[in-house]
Amino acid sequence: MSETLNYKQTERGIMENNNKKYIVRIIFGIFLILTCLFVFKNSNLMTNSAILSGSGEFYYPSYVWIAENGDKYFITNSKTQVLVVDKNNRYKLEINGEVTSDNGFNFVNNVVADEDGNIYITDIRYNDHYDRDARKRILKYTSNGILDKVLYDYSFEEENMPYIHSSLMTLEYNNGRLYYAQRDFNSFSMFSIATDGSEEEPTLEKQYAYENAGLLIADFALDVNKKEVYICTKKGDILKATEEGLILLYDGGNYNTDFEFYEVPNEIVLNHNATKMFFTDVGTREVYSLNLETFEKQTVLESDKSL
C-alpha cells in the first residue's frame, strides 16, 4: 500500500481545504484539547487536578515531551513557558520566555531533554508582522533550568525569511546530538548539531526538493538512527522521503461518512524504534497509530463525536 510520487507535488484537494479554512480553524482548537487529553489520559494527569502544588501555573498547553524517567516537559502559556513535572506529576521547575534579549527564549516550539536532564529549547523570533521566522536559536539549559549555552543562532535576511513556524520544526535528541527539520519555500531538510557546543553550524543530514514545501507541509517526524524523514501535508497525506522520491504511506483528505467530515492528519510522531507512527486527525478528532511495515491503521483514542 505504497505509491512513489514525484518530487514536485500537486496536492490534490488543497483548493477544497482552502474553502474549509474557517471550519478547520474551529476544529484546530478542539484538536489541541484532544491532544492534551490524550496525554493526560495516558499519564494519569487527570487524576491530579492540581499538578502544580508548588509554584507555577498550567495555562494553554500546546505540547508535551515525556522522558524515559517519566518526567514531562510541557510547553504552556501560549508557547512562552516550559513547565516540568516528575513522573508523579509533582512540580519540578519552569522556564519562562517572552524574553527579547539573548538571555532566554521568546517563543518556544520544541523541547527535549538528554539522559542527564539537560533541557534543549528551540527559540523562534518573528518579524514585525508575525508572518515570517526572522531568527532561530537552539538553547541548552541545565537540569535546574539555568541557561547554559546557545548552541545555534541564525538570523534570516529579510528577503529569505521563511513562512512562520517553518524553522526548527520538531526536535529529537540522540547520542549527544540534536536533530531538527526545516521546511523552506521549495524543499525540506533534516539537520543535526552537537549538544556540547563544539559546532558553530548544524550539519545538513538530508535535503529533498518539494515544490511549495513552506506552504504544504504541516509536520515532520524523524528517524534519527536511519536518517529518515517523514512529512504530513496540510491535505492530510503522510509520506516518507527517499532518494528516489516521496512514498505515500497514508492517503488523507478523504471524506469519512461516519464522522461526516474529512480525514485530515495533522501531527505525526514515531515510536522509539520507528516501527509505528502516531498521528492526530483534526477532521475526525481522533488519535491513530500506523504500522510502518503493514500500514495497518488503528484507533488509539476515540472521539465521542459530540463536538
Side-chain angles (χ1 to χ4, degrees):
M1 181 188 157
S2 65
E3 173 187 357
T4 301
L5 307 179
N6 293 327
Y7 276 121
K8 290 189 176 181
Q9 298 292 310
T10 303
E11 294 287 348
R12 53 188 174 79
I14 288 294
M15 295 303 297
E16 294 181 6
N17 282 349
N18 285 341
N19 294 332
K20 303 178 181 67
K21 281 184 178 178
Y22 179 72
I23 298 175
V24 171
R25 284 172 183 166
I26 296 175
I27 293 183
F28 179 71
I30 299 171
F31 152 74
L32 285 179
I33 297 173
L34 177 64
T35 302
C36 291
L37 287 176
F38 170 63
V39 174
F40 291 172
K41 179 180 179 181
N42 287 276
S43 60
N44 294 323
L45 280 176
M46 292 194 70
T47 63
N48 188 349
S49 60
I51 64 172
L52 303 181
S53 57
S55 60
E57 295 175 302
F58 194 69
Y59 290 132
Y60 306 109
S62 60
Y63 181 83
V64 61
W65 183 84
I66 303 177
E68 290 186 5
N69 66 0
D71 285 355
K72 305 172 188 73
Y73 297 75
F74 289 93
I75 295 177
T76 67
N77 205 13
S78 300
K79 295 190 174 184
T80 63
Q81 183 187 76
V82 172
L83 182 67
V84 185
V85 300
D86 65 15
K87 64 180 180 180
N88 297 313
N89 304 323
R90 293 188 295 252
Y91 172 86
K92 292 187 68 174
L93 63 94
E94 63 191 71
I95 307 172
N96 292 300
E98 285 190 297
V99 176
T100 56
S101 70
D102 290 343
N103 297 321
F105 66 88
N106 192 1
F107 290 101
V108 53
N109 60 346
N110 288 287
V111 59
V112 297
D114 62 23
E115 57 273 8
D116 297 319
N118 296 305
I119 303 168
Y120 303 93
I121 288 174
T122 55
D123 174 32
I124 300 297
R125 311 289 174 104
Y126 306 122
N127 66 350
D128 293 339
H129 301 290
Y130 284 82
D131 61 354
R132 292 286 193 274
D133 290 349
R135 185 181 180 190
K136 58 181 180 180
R137 302 198 306 156
I138 301 177
L139 310 180
K140 180 178 182 178
Y141 287 80
T142 68
S143 59
N144 295 322
I146 306 300
L147 180 62
D148 181 24
K149 56 176 61 76
V150 178
L151 298 178
Y152 183 49
D153 189 341
Y154 181 82
S155 296
F156 294 94
E157 298 292 337
E158 185 172 1
E159 61 273 15
N160 295 324
M161 290 180 182
Y163 296 114
I164 191 170
H165 307 315
S166 291
S167 302
L168 304 175
M169 296 181 65
T170 198
L171 187 66
E172 299 285 347
Y173 170 81
N174 184 55
N175 195 26
R177 299 191 70 81
L178 293 172
Y179 296 80
Y180 67 91
Q182 179 170 305
R183 62 184 182 193
D184 296 298
F185 295 110
N186 291 300
S187 67
F188 61 91
S189 310
M190 177 172 69
F191 294 88
S192 72
I193 193 168
T195 58
D196 60 5
S198 61
E199 300 174 359
E200 294 183 0
E201 297 289 334
T203 299
L204 176 61
E205 301 285 354
K206 297 287 184 177
Q207 187 171 43
Y208 302 93
Y210 189 72
E211 190 173 355
N212 291 323
L215 291 174
L216 298 180
I217 296 178
D219 197 21
F220 290 91
L222 304 178
D223 181 349
V224 298
N225 290 311
K226 297 181 180 179
K227 304 294 192 299
E228 292 180 339
V229 183
Y230 297 81
I231 66 171
C232 179
T233 71
K234 293 183 180 179
K235 169 188 170 290
D237 287 342
I238 298 175
L239 306 105
K240 178 182 178 180
T242 70
E243 300 301 330
E244 291 74 32
L246 292 171
I247 299 175
L248 180 65
L249 304 181
Y250 183 82
D251 184 17
N254 297 304
Y255 190 79
N256 188 311
T257 55
D258 291 336
F259 291 87
E260 297 184 345
F261 204 78
Y262 292 86
E263 297 175 344
V264 190
N266 182 259
E267 290 195 349
I268 56 177
V269 66
L270 297 173
N271 66 346
H272 71 283
N273 56 4
T275 58
K276 280 188 178 182
M277 175 179 289
F278 297 88
F279 64 92
T280 55
D281 191 314
V282 296
T284 64
R285 305 185 299 279
E286 293 193 335
V287 179
Y288 303 96
S289 68
L290 182 69
N291 188 305
L292 296 179
E293 296 176 353
T294 66
F295 303 103
E296 179 186 4
K297 172 186 169 184
Q298 292 185 333
T299 302
V300 177
L301 180 64
E302 295 183 353
S303 168
D304 62 7
K305 304 180 183 180
S306 65
L307 298 176

